[in-house]
Amino acid sequence: MLDWLKKINKEYPDFWKEYLTKFESKPTKYVVLSTETSGLNPDKDVILSLGAFSVIDDSIVIKESFETVLLQYKFLQDNGLSNEFIIESKMIKMQEPEALEALINFIGNAVLVGHHINFDIEMLNAALERLDCGRIKNEALDVDVMYRKLTDINDKQFSMDDLSEIYKIPKSDRNSSAEDAYKIALVFLKLKSRLGIR
Amino acid sequence: MNTIAEHIADFLKEYPPFNNLTFQELSDIATNIRVHNLEKHAILFQNNDVLHDSFYVVASGVINLTTIADAEETIINKCHEGDIFGLRPFFAKNNYMMTAKAREESIIYAIPIAVFRPFVANNSDVLNFLLESFSINSRHTKDNANSNGKLIPESAYIDQQSEMQYVQSLVYNNSPLTTEGHHIVKDVAILMTEAMVDNIVVCEKNHPIGIVTDADLSSKIATGRYPITETIDKIMSSPVVTVIENVSLAEAQLLMLKHNVSHLCVTKDGTSKSSVKGIISEHDLIVAQASNPGVLIKEIKRSQLPKDLKQIRDRLSDLIQNSIQKNIPISHISNIASEINLAIIKRAVELSILDLGSPPARFAWLSIGSQGRKEQLLLTDQDSILIFEDVTPEKYREVKDYFLRLGKRTTAILEKVGYEYCPNGHMGSNMLWCKSLTDWTKQYNSWMNTPGENSNDLSSIFFDYEIVFGEPKIEEVIENVIFKNAVNNTLFFDFLGNDALKRNSPLSFFKKFIVEEEGPHKTKFDIKTRALMPLIDSARLLILNANIKGIKNTYLRFKQLAITDSKNAEIYLSCAEAFLTLSKFRTVEGLKNDDSGQYINLREMSKTDKEKLKNALNPMKDLEELIKSKFQLTQFS
């Protein structure tokens, strides 16, 4: 019965406390975020990789980026997948707790941008809950919604491929969260100037 | 590890100066890049803006660099994918002296100067490239350095220009032919002939001890002073003048003058005691200095790949642009341009033949339409026909097959060069327009004797033709067919006359421009169909009617008509002038927008230009009346 009280008194991890203090000031940048997940159910599925870029003053800052592969042993084992590739690859690898902490530190109070970003946030929230943290507080923008607003189309959703096609974003053969995040960032820049968002 | 940084590094390594850096260095640079998106017409920096802390690389799209001189915006350069610009912060402290504006939606990489500076300091290739680009803004116009410089009334700028000349590096043969002193003259001469070079370096343990050129052979062997069985070291010029790698144009020139030689030997450390790296000939100096038409044509003849031809075609565009800005008469420019276009098409046919083997019968490749009239200034679509001589029926299939393949290959090469395929399929690769001489004769007979009947595809462009490649006799035969049929052929002229006059008039009753009312070119003036085509069609009609052969250019046709039909000379002459003026408007517009210039944006035009354009449209009315009375056309279909 007093569960909710328990929750209030519960001690958050340090990084989360610091994250919360960041919201005392106004956001100064955007962070474009993309996740790769094992499926669509936030309760059962897990995040497999994360990619993010900062957008400051109408430009993508390549240096301020975040990308990592999450070592989800449980998932890989359950599905009988070999993790040899992941081990061999030069990608940065982290455990889920470590990865989320790094991500939360990276995004700070920035406005998040993504494609169907609500789903990404749900996935992150589920993972954060496992670490005894609260929910993500950042404002979020969805490029699909932005595009529909720009064109005044309400009866249709646009996939990332559609948007890449519309804005002639070069296709790449490689596929990763970072790649997706970069594409979303380009689409975002184009939409941002068209919609006149500062 | 940053995936995107590596992608960017991957992109950069294709382009100078980045190709001088290692992948690791590029990745480090790429990590510090900022990616900007510019909407169409967005301005990145303007004349007199404070310098940015970065320079820029075009990732996609086109950026125009412009200066404002005498209240007129002049395009200095267009930067395409992989071009670098905005280099001023490297070399100067004062504000930007040009404007960078997106011609179309573009993505650009901003590379911080602070990050890139160490690489410049440590790598002379990079420095030289940047210096060079700084003065000319983009690498593909390297050869026009001089002419570009003159457009900019900035003394500081011109200084850099001459400086640039000095540091401009040379492209030379870096795999020269070498031999040793004990070889026999005859063998060496055979070697040189096979390699088609005019020089050979004589080496001892890979160090150059002398050089033999065509001049040596003619002065020492051909004169009989030495027998042909002599060893080569007896006749070589020694010692050979050696220079270090990366020698500049000016330096090479001075050395050649000083030592009175025509070749310089490039060695590893610049002395004759190290290994041979290349040979610089006088020809290399000329190529480095000039982008003159002669050099372009020479280069076309040597090109092996469509890519090389494309680069030459790009330089032609620069040449045209510069010539127009320098007010060289347009008739002059189009003569030169069409010669170069002709050479490119010819080379494309040659390359195809090299691939497919010799043709099984004699043939002629004719350019039709604008190139046939020698009026092609912009990259328009390609129109061509192929005529091959009559062969026995059993060989016909095989022969036609060969020529179709030849047509396909040639048009594909031209497409790579930048000439789009003809949307109506008027090309030698089309079954319909790749025929034997008899079939073509029949075709022209049917077009001319029964126009409009079963020939919906009668396009007047078939009556402007110019042989590009092959047997000139075939062209003569076709010409005779046309002119024979034209005599007293009222029906045909009636048809052509109506065709020429059915175009919509360019000006309304109130002398206002009639502009496009809808479509992507709304409010623009269609100069091609409303102004140029009627003149072109009329000129063709009149010249065919007057039975004058061999004059294919609209301007010259009017000039000739003024002589033959002297009572209407005034009209013809004003039409000739009008045609030039209109072509110039179209070319300028086309160069500005990188398209065919068909639609003129009136809003961007100054008032005087508009008046000029309107005046050029005036003679059309008189011409229309003249044609109507001459061919008794009273009603129009």
Side-chain angles (χ1 to χ4, degrees):
Chain A
M1 186 182 107
L2 290 174
D3 260 7
W4 64 275
L5 257 183
K6 248 191 235 163
K7 260 212 166 121
I8 277 187
N9 293 330
K10 195 176 64 187
E11 189 67 356
Y12 285 132
D14 285 344
F15 78 87
W16 190 257
K17 279 192 263 178
E18 201 191 318
Y19 167 70
L20 294 177
T21 61
K22 288 181 184 161
F23 285 88
E24 283 155 20
S25 54
K26 280 198 160 173
T28 56
K29 65 173 184 179
Y30 298 91
V31 167
V32 184
L33 179 75
S34 170
T35 61
E36 189 193 344
T37 62
S38 61
L40 296 174
N41 186 337
D43 297 327
K44 287 187 191 143
D45 288 307
V46 289
I47 300 172
L48 298 176
S49 71
L50 285 164
F53 283 95
S54 295
V55 171
I56 304 173
D57 297 338
D58 291 325
S59 66
I60 307 169
V61 185
I62 300 292
K63 196 194 239 165
E64 286 196 36
S65 69
F66 180 89
E67 62 180 301
T68 183
V69 171
L70 273 65
L71 295 175
Q72 301 285 12
Y73 283 126
K74 189 165 172 343
F75 170 73
L76 295 170
Q77 234 165 17
D78 286 357
N79 290 288
L81 292 176
S82 150
N83 56 4
E84 238 164 71
F85 166 71
I86 299 181
I87 304 286
E88 290 289 315
S89 85
K90 283 188 289 177
M91 298 287 300
I92 298 162
K93 294 161 278 267
M94 292 184 188
Q95 299 289 358
E96 189 177 273
E98 195 191 349
L100 279 163
E101 179 173 345
L103 179 74
I104 293 299
N105 289 339
F106 176 74
I107 60 175
N109 67 345
V111 177
L112 297 181
V113 180
H115 182 258
H116 297 162
I117 184 81
N118 288 339
F119 172 71
D120 296 314
I121 292 178
E122 273 319 303
M123 288 302 295
L124 289 172
N125 280 337
L128 285 167
E129 210 179 306
R130 293 196 278 275
L131 303 180
D132 296 327
C133 297
R135 297 172 67 80
I136 286 194
K137 291 184 63 175
N138 301 55
E139 274 181 65
L141 291 172
D142 184 340
V143 285
D144 179 22
V145 174
M146 286 170 76
Y147 180 71
R148 279 185 275 157
K149 191 169 166 188
L150 179 72
T151 50
D152 229 1
I153 297 172
N154 292 318
D155 50 352
K156 197 175 161 202
Q157 288 206 344
F158 291 87
S159 72
M160 210 39 225
D161 281 347
D162 296 337
L163 292 174
S164 300
E165 184 78 18
I166 291 163
Y167 287 113
K168 302 195 175 60
I169 309 277
K171 289 202 175 67
S172 98
D173 43 345
R174 286 167 281 199
N175 221 328
S176 70
S177 295
E179 192 83 36
D180 285 343
Y182 183 68
K183 272 191 218 157
I184 296 170
L186 288 176
V187 170
F188 174 63
L189 284 183
K190 290 173 191 291
L191 285 166
K192 189 167 171 275
S193 68
R194 285 177 171 76
L195 287 164
I197 301 174
R198 282 292 319 145
Chain B
M1 172 78 188
N2 187 325
T3 334
I4 299 303
E6 291 199 348
H7 289 194
I8 295 176
D10 247 352
F11 170 86
L12 292 178
K13 77 169 197 285
E14 300 293 320
Y15 301 98
F18 307 105
N19 53 5
N20 290 312
L21 301 173
T22 65
F23 192 74
Q24 189 51 46
E25 287 171 325
L26 287 177
S27 299
D28 292 346
I29 293 167
T31 310
N32 289 293
I33 278 178
R34 299 169 68 107
V35 184
H36 290 262
N37 177 64
L38 295 178
E39 261 188 273
K40 193 173 179 176
H41 299 319
I43 290 171
L44 182 64
F45 55 76
Q46 287 193 46
N47 202 6
N48 225 7
D49 272 5
V50 179
L51 295 181
H52 295 182
D53 57 2
S54 310
F55 70 101
Y56 300 96
V57 183
V58 182
S60 68
V62 181
I63 306 290
N64 277 2
L65 300 179
T66 58
T67 51
I68 295 179
D70 304 332
E72 233 185 290
E73 213 180 14
T74 315
I75 296 179
I76 313 174
N77 219 324
K78 293 180 208 164
C79 296
H80 297 267
E81 196 170 299
D83 287 346
I84 56 176
F85 67 100
L87 295 167
R88 176 156 281 269
F90 270 111
F91 306 108
K93 295 272 167 284
N94 49 354
N95 295 349
Y96 283 114
M97 284 185 171
M98 57 180 82
T99 301
K101 190 174 175 187
R103 182 75 232 177
E104 55 191 63
E105 179 142 355
S106 308
I107 292 171
I108 53 170
Y109 298 139
I111 303 180
I113 303 283
V115 171
F116 201 65
R117 204 183 283 280
F119 297 102
V120 177
N122 297 332
N123 193 326
S124 60
D125 288 342
V126 174
L127 174 64
N128 283 343
F129 183 83
L130 290 190
L131 274 167
E132 217 172 288
S133 306
F134 175 49
S135 63
I136 58 190
N137 298 303
S138 168
R139 62 172 196 287
H140 68 248
T141 47
K142 202 178 303 193
D143 302 293
N144 298 338
N146 293 324
S147 35
N148 267 339
K150 287 186 191 119
L151 305 172
I152 299 140
E154 250 340 303
S155 59
Y157 210 89
I158 288 168
D159 285 347
Q160 252 126 18
Q161 205 68 62
S162 46
E163 221 173 89
M164 255 357 87
Q165 262 266 299
Y166 188 74
V167 298
Q168 186 176 355
S169 62
L170 275 169
V171 181
Y172 52 82
N173 175 6
N174 45 23
S175 52
L177 222 48
T178 58
T179 183
E180 279 172 4
H182 58 83
H183 286 268
I184 305 297
V185 169
K186 187 181 170 192
D187 298 343
V188 173
I190 291 172
L191 202 65
M192 286 165 67
T193 312
E194 273 170 2
M196 291 197 291
V197 292
D198 62 352
N199 64 80
I200 189 162
V201 184
V202 184
C203 293
E204 200 169 65
K205 291 183 200 127
N206 212 13
H207 296 173
I209 54 168
I211 186 167
V212 175
T213 63
D214 280 4
D216 293 312
L217 292 176
S218 58
S219 68
K220 293 171 193 165
I221 301 296
T223 52
R225 279 169 57 201
Y226 292 88
I228 199 162
T229 47
E230 192 61 87
T231 52
I232 197 78
D233 57 346
K234 296 286 185 305
I235 67 150
M236 68 187 183
S237 308
S238 180
V240 55
V241 184
T242 54
V243 290
I244 196 163
E245 284 175 90
N246 297 328
V247 66
S248 71
L249 173 63
E251 225 176 315
Q253 230 162 8
L254 284 174
L255 280 169
M256 282 188 190
L257 285 174
K258 191 169 138 200
H259 297 283
N260 194 22
V261 292
S262 57
H263 294 81
L264 300 172
C265 180
V266 182
T267 58
K268 205 170 171 198
D269 66 359
T271 70
S272 57
K273 295 281 169 284
S274 62
S275 56
V276 179
K277 286 279 169 194
I279 198 96
I280 300 175
S281 67
E282 275 178 318
H283 174 81
D284 296 325
L285 298 191
I286 296 164
V287 171
Q289 275 169 316
S291 168
N292 67 44
V295 174
L296 284 178
I297 289 196
K298 228 174 169 174
E299 282 187 41
I300 290 168
K301 288 190 180 151
R302 288 198 211 154
S303 304
Q304 295 296 336
L305 298 167
K307 199 175 72 193
D308 302 340
L309 289 174
K310 179 171 171 46
Q311 199 217 345
I312 294 166
R313 184 62 183 79
D314 288 346
R315 273 159 57 193
L316 173 61
S317 298
D318 295 332
L319 189 77
I320 294 172
Q321 187 162 355
N322 286 326
S323 311
I324 287 188
Q325 271 155 352
K326 283 191 216 147
N327 272 326
I328 292 171
I330 197 110
S331 55
H332 204 81
I333 303 174
S334 52
N335 275 342
I336 293 168
S338 58
E339 283 311 321
I340 294 176
N341 278 322
L342 188 78
I344 291 178
I345 302 172
K346 191 169 177 175
R347 186 65 194 163
V349 181
E350 275 172 9
L351 288 176
S352 311
I353 291 180
L354 282 176
D355 271 358
L356 293 174
S358 342
R362 284 180 295 175
F363 73 102
W365 180 281
L366 305 183
S367 274
I368 55 173
S370 63
Q371 174 60 22
R373 286 191 309 274
K374 302 202 163 203
E375 284 163 4
Q376 199 173 54
L377 282 168
L378 300 155
L379 272 173
T380 52
D381 52 355
Q382 29 170 323
D383 300 302
S384 57
I385 60 176
L386 198 157
I387 306 171
F388 52 89
E389 70 178 341
D390 290 302
V391 289
T392 48
E394 67 267 22
K395 274 176 73 189
Y396 179 80
R397 236 190 124 84
E398 183 195 330
V399 169
K400 173 142 185 168
D401 197 50
Y402 173 89
F403 285 114
L404 273 177
R405 274 189 292 146
L406 181 70
K408 287 223 171 76
R409 193 163 282 243
T410 307
T411 49
I413 292 178
L414 290 173
E415 203 255 349
K416 283 198 193 114
V417 176
Y419 302 92
E420 279 169 38
Y421 289 124
C422 174
N424 303 321
H426 292 146
M427 294 183 294
S429 57
N430 187 330
M431 299 262 292
L432 287 173
W433 316 127
C434 171
K435 291 196 280 208
S436 70
L437 189 53
T438 316
D439 288 343
W440 269 112
T441 311
K442 278 189 208 145
Q443 178 77 69
Y444 274 104
N445 281 339
S446 106
W447 273 337
M448 297 180 74
N449 294 326
T450 54
E453 262 177 45
N454 41 18
S455 45
N456 282 332
D457 40 53
L458 167 56
S459 175
S460 44
I461 64 170
F462 286 106
F463 294 90
D464 294 319
Y465 46 87
E466 160 86 9
I467 185 157
V468 174
F469 193 95
E471 188 57 51
K473 284 216 178 79
I474 294 180
E475 189 196 14
E476 270 170 43
V477 172
I478 288 294
E479 187 159 49
N480 286 332
V481 170
I482 292 174
F483 280 94
K484 202 180 79 216
N485 276 322
V487 179
N488 296 327
N489 190 336
T490 334
L491 194 63
F492 174 63
F493 288 115
D494 209 47
F495 187 84
L496 277 192
N498 280 319
D499 200 45
L501 299 182
K502 76 169 183 239
R503 316 255 178 200
N504 303 325
S505 58
L507 295 175
S508 71
F509 184 72
F510 300 104
K511 298 260 173 209
K512 284 230 163 60
F513 289 106
I514 298 180
V515 296
E516 297 302 293
E517 278 171 357
E518 49 198 23
H521 298 287
K522 201 173 164 187
T523 73
K524 290 187 187 165
F525 177 65
D526 183 350
I527 195 167
K528 185 183 171 193
T529 41
R530 285 184 192 272
L532 285 166
M533 291 309 288
L535 286 176
I536 294 169
D537 287 340
S538 312
R540 181 191 310 115
L541 167 68
L542 291 164
I543 210 88
L544 278 172
N545 184 245
N547 223 336
I548 300 169
K549 282 184 197 174
I551 299 178
K552 288 165 181 169
N553 182 292
T554 304
Y555 173 73
L556 292 177
R557 278 174 176 167
F558 280 123
K559 285 276 196 188
Q560 179 64 39
L561 286 165
I563 299 168
T564 350
D565 183 11
S566 53
K567 63 180 187 296
N568 291 316
E570 211 175 308
I571 299 178
Y572 294 131
L573 289 178
S574 55
C575 284
E577 285 312 313
F579 179 76
L580 289 186
T581 317
L582 293 168
S583 308
K584 186 164 172 179
F585 274 116
R586 178 177 175 190
T587 312
V588 170
E589 188 74 16
L591 287 171
K592 207 160 74 184
N593 298 330
D594 251 343
D595 60 13
S596 67
Q598 183 171 4
Y599 297 95
I600 303 265
N601 192 341
L602 294 170
R603 286 193 201 147
E604 281 180 14
M605 258 178 141
S606 68
K607 200 160 181 186
T608 44
D609 275 349
K610 267 191 214 167
E611 277 312 305
K612 249 195 231 166
L613 181 57
K614 237 176 233 180
N615 286 336
L617 298 172
N618 280 336
M620 287 173 61
K621 201 80 207 154
D622 298 332
L623 185 67
E624 196 180 317
E625 289 307 320
L626 183 101
I627 290 176
K628 274 189 202 166
S629 69
K630 205 169 184 123
F631 299 101
Q632 283 136 29
L633 303 173
T634 41
Q635 54 184 19
F636 299 108
S637 45

